[in-house]
């Protein structure tokens, strides 16, 4: 993935090999990057399809730029622990979509 734009050190706009733009988040994923630089994909913890893609929501982009890296790590660890306990897969859309039904079924 090629770096396009930095939102902050932990959120960036990148482009994949099919010229599809993604917003990626992860600890230090955008730190010190310049347009065209390759992104260390091992730092990517979450990825979201960017503008123009089906389901795009500009408010999610703003929310991503305000996420604290430590909080992101904690949330990812919680999801990792909860999925097997609930025998379900929680996707990024379910986590970020507070307007719909809860992804957790009792």
């Amino acid at each position: 993935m090629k770096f396009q734009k930095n939102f902050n050190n932990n959120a960036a706009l990148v482009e994949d090999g099919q010229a599809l733009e993604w917003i990626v988040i992860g600890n230090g994923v955008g730190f010190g990057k310049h347009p065209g630089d390759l992104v260390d994909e091992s730092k990517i913890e979450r990825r979201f399809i960017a503008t123009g893609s089906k389901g795009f929501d500009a408010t999610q982009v703003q929310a991503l730029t305000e996420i604290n890296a430590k909080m992101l790590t904690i949330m990812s660890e919680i999801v990792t622990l909860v999925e097997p306990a609930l025998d379900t897969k929680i996707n990024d859309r379910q986590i970020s979509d507070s307007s719909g039904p809860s992804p957790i079924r009792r």
Side-chain angles (χ1 to χ4, degrees), residues 9-20:
N9 289 339
N10 303 313
L13 179 68
V14 299
E15 185 177 281
D16 68 13
Q18 286 76 40
L20 183 61

Side-chain angles (χ1 to χ4, degrees), residues 28-44:
V29 73
F31 181 73
K33 295 291 183 191
H34 298 92
D37 288 351
L38 291 179
V39 173
D40 181 355
E41 293 193 40
S42 69
K43 291 185 176 185
I44 298 173

Side-chain angles (χ1 to χ4, degrees), residues 5-97:
K5 180 180 178 182
N6 196 16
F7 295 114
N8 65 34
N9 289 339
N10 303 313
L13 179 68
V14 299
E15 185 177 281
D16 68 13
Q18 286 76 40
L20 183 61
E21 289 184 323
W22 294 84
I23 296 164
V24 295
I25 54 177
N27 194 14
V29 73
F31 181 73
K33 295 291 183 191
H34 298 92
D37 288 351
L38 291 179
V39 173
D40 181 355
E41 293 193 40
S42 69
K43 291 185 176 185
I44 298 173
E45 297 176 26
R46 297 277 188 217
R47 62 183 76 205
F48 303 86
I49 298 174
T51 308
S53 299
K54 185 177 181 179
F56 173 76
D57 183 352
T59 58
Q60 289 180 349
V61 175
Q62 180 61 33
L64 290 176
T65 64
E66 297 171 2
I67 292 177
N68 175 302
K70 186 169 180 117
M71 183 61 72
L72 175 65
T73 301
I74 292 168
M75 290 185 323
S76 294
E77 289 173 4
I78 290 169
V79 168
T80 300
L81 293 170
V82 168
E83 285 177 332
L86 297 176
D87 193 28
T88 189
K89 178 74 175 150
I90 300 171
N91 65 39
D92 296 333
R93 179 74 179 163
Q94 290 168 311
I95 293 170
S96 64
D97 184 5

